Amino acid sequence: MPDHHRPPATVRDHTLRLLRELGLTTVFANPGSTEVPFLVDLPDDIDFVLGLHEGSVVGMATGWALARERPALVQLHTTAGLGNAVGALATARVNRAPLVVLVGQQDRRHLAHEPFLAGHLEGLAGDYPVAVHQPVRAQDVPGAVARAHHEAVQGRGPVLVVVCMDDWARPMDPDQPRAAPARVARPLHVAPDDAAATEIAAFLDGARSPALVVGAGADSAPAWRALTDLAERLRAPVFQESFGARAGFPQDHPLFAGHLPAERSRLRAALRGHDAVLVVGAPALRQYIYADGPLVDPGTRLAMVGDDDGEAHRGAADLAVIAPVAAFTAAVAALVDDRTNAPAPTRSGPAAGPDREVPAPPAEGEPLRPAHVLAALAARVGPDTAVVEETPSSRPRLHRLLPARAPLGFLSAAMGGLGFALPAATGLRMAAPTRPVVAVVGDGSALYQVQALWSAARYRVGVLFVVLSNGRYAVMDRLAEHGGGKAPWPDFPEVSLAALARGLGCPAVEVATHTELCRALDEATAGLAERETPLLLDVTVAPDPDFAP
């Protein structure tokens, strides 16, 4: 039974527990007032070593770390302490000594007024730290410390974590997802007998119902082959990360289970029943709309594999492996037990796989909707077509109706900022002049880099640009509606992408009906791989009625 009279665990409690797990139980310090809340009543199993100057503090920690061949823990006092330690931190970096350095900061509650002893700390040590973290919330401190430990090992140098003095007493949310992996493995050479590959294989073999999550970091032909082999041997469903900029698995494969939702409760529902989830080439697990609660249900364990250090260091996983994705996944696939005779996984929930049902053409007098356009396009393009997407309100429909069937078959902006698709599609076709390239873009998105059409026309780049024109920022309108508010921005139905394209030298066709759409697509997609001039289809659509952010 839970003890309802016990005060909730604090940021300090969680950080002390983490320091024990990481072996950081000796702290080298010359304390000041901003460090007192952490140091007072320090548990007996945490050893305190005093230095009479910060240079001595960091120097002792440097020698300790080099002798132990693992990170040492340092605590410094805001501006004065960090400033005094910079020379020693520079030495630690060049000596390749991994240090986790906690730097005190004034109370967060009046930091905006720059109280006495507040410091501008981020750039004070120059380029000598491997990284500097200033947690946005008090509850992010333990995750920042864990990340600093991984980065200090990887970067072989000091990593700073700036902690406001009042953060230590703040309560922790017990359901908050892990902000950094419990362990990070970095195999120097990927081989079938690699210890990390063996551990990941055991992680999957020990699961009753394993699942895979793939992302942009797995978008290559070797990675697709390795992941297909692994999924088929495990008989495991494969989910695409939410808001992935590229596809990490063939989305027409029977084991493809769809795109993960970008909201926490729906994410839990999608992965429910899977006791081991391996994330490959993707964050674990990035979301969009904030919601309380854990990322996955209790009993679901997460591991991740990727070649991006930063992505691994902030992953909510029990184990993160930093390794070449294709080679490491192939090694794991060779080690796992063969379950190919097991029943196929049952797919259900919000990411239950691609819906290939083609919508019926609109009835007489009904408007075209994005689904009609995407279905008509899907019926006319080949599996090697590269689809560059920038239509936020229609993206879920595009995923279902235009699955990526070859590496680089889907491309989108990883950061979510608009203005990507028109120039990116142009550059992609320049680099791959025999590959069919289609950009599917909202009219609002197209306006951010409409100038790219001039370059496509000038350099005879045969991209088909399909613009879904609804004369508004449809995704913003829907987000405002979901928030229960009224949007202050107006529509812009007078904007004509066809007119803008022609003014920039790019041929354009205006489309308003399903008949016109089919005719235009028939003409535009015939010989798309050989096309030498761009074409923009300005298709008037009404927003999809069932959009969900």
Side-chain angles (χ1 to χ4, degrees), residues 55 79 161 179 229 266 271 281 344 380 389 427 520:
T79 309
V161 181
D229 186 23
R266 295 170 62 220
L271 295 177
R380 291 165 171 82
E389 176 270 336

Side-chain angles (χ1 to χ4, degrees), residues 120-463:
H120 296 274
L121 302 173
E122 185 171 8
L124 187 57
D127 294 332
Y128 295 114
V130 172
V132 178
H133 298 290
Q134 298 191 79
V136 177
R137 306 178 307 152
Q139 290 77 13
D140 297 330
V141 169
V145 173
R147 195 175 304 167
H149 178 271
H150 300 322
E151 291 169 335
V153 172
Q154 175 72 11
R156 296 192 291 179
V159 179
L160 310 188
V161 181
V162 178
V163 186
C164 293
M165 60 189 298
D166 61 310
D167 284 359
W168 297 115
R170 300 291 180 194
M172 285 290 290
D173 177 1
D175 290 331
Q176 181 175 342
R178 184 192 299 276
R183 290 191 300 116
V184 175
R186 300 175 180 84
L188 296 178
H189 304 286
V190 176
D193 60 347
D194 174 77
T198 301
E199 185 171 359
I200 292 293
F203 167 80
L204 295 169
D205 284 339
R208 173 184 50 80
S209 177
L212 305 179
V213 174
V214 299
D219 187 18
S220 71
W224 279 36
R225 286 193 296 270
L227 280 162
T228 300
D229 186 23
L230 178 60
E232 291 175 350
R233 286 180 65 83
L234 292 172
R235 295 292 276 175
V238 182
F239 299 88
Q240 173 74 29
E241 64 168 322
S242 64
F243 285 93
R246 295 168 66 174
F249 188 80
Q251 295 176 355
D252 57 346
H253 192 283
L255 289 173
F256 182 63
H259 292 71
L260 288 178
E263 187 273 327
R264 200 168 290 187
S265 63
R266 295 170 62 220
L267 172 67
R268 288 195 297 272
L271 295 177
R272 186 159 293 147
H274 299 293
D275 49 343
V277 177
L278 177 63
V279 182
V280 181
L285 291 158
R286 185 170 66 162
Q287 295 283 275
Y288 172 39
I289 298 172
Y290 177 78
D292 290 327
L295 291 173
V296 293
D297 286 341
T300 298
R301 298 173 60 215
L302 294 174
M304 62 186 299
V305 175
D307 56 11
D308 185 304
D309 291 359
E311 201 168 79
H313 291 156
R314 61 179 176 266
D318 297 310
L319 171 63
V321 179
I322 301 174
V325 167
F328 188 87
T329 305
V332 173
L335 292 170
V336 295
D337 294 338
D338 191 341
R339 307 188 193 190
T340 52
N341 293 324
T346 301
R347 299 187 295 189
S348 62
D355 176 12
R356 301 283 184 254
E357 184 177 349
V358 178
E364 186 70 29
E366 289 185 352
L368 275 174
R369 296 197 183 271
H372 299 130
V373 181
L374 296 171
L377 180 62
R380 291 165 171 82
V381 295
D384 61 335
T385 302
V387 176
V388 184
E389 176 270 336
E390 196 166 30
T391 174
S393 62
S394 302
R395 194 182 208 195
R397 291 279 194 193
L398 184 145
H399 284 321
R400 290 195 292 271
L401 294 168
L402 271 169
R405 293 175 283 174
L408 202 58
F410 174 82
L411 181 63
S412 186
M415 282 292 291
L418 301 180
F420 173 80
L422 300 187
T426 302
L428 195 162
R429 178 59 184 251
M430 284 180 173
T434 61
R435 184 163 189 180
V437 178
V438 176
V440 181
V441 194
D443 52 349
S445 302
L447 291 172
Y448 282 86
Q449 276 299 326
V450 70
Q451 300 92 333
L453 296 175
W454 179 88
S455 299
R458 173 64 178 79
Y459 295 102
R460 300 181 61 80
V461 180
V463 176

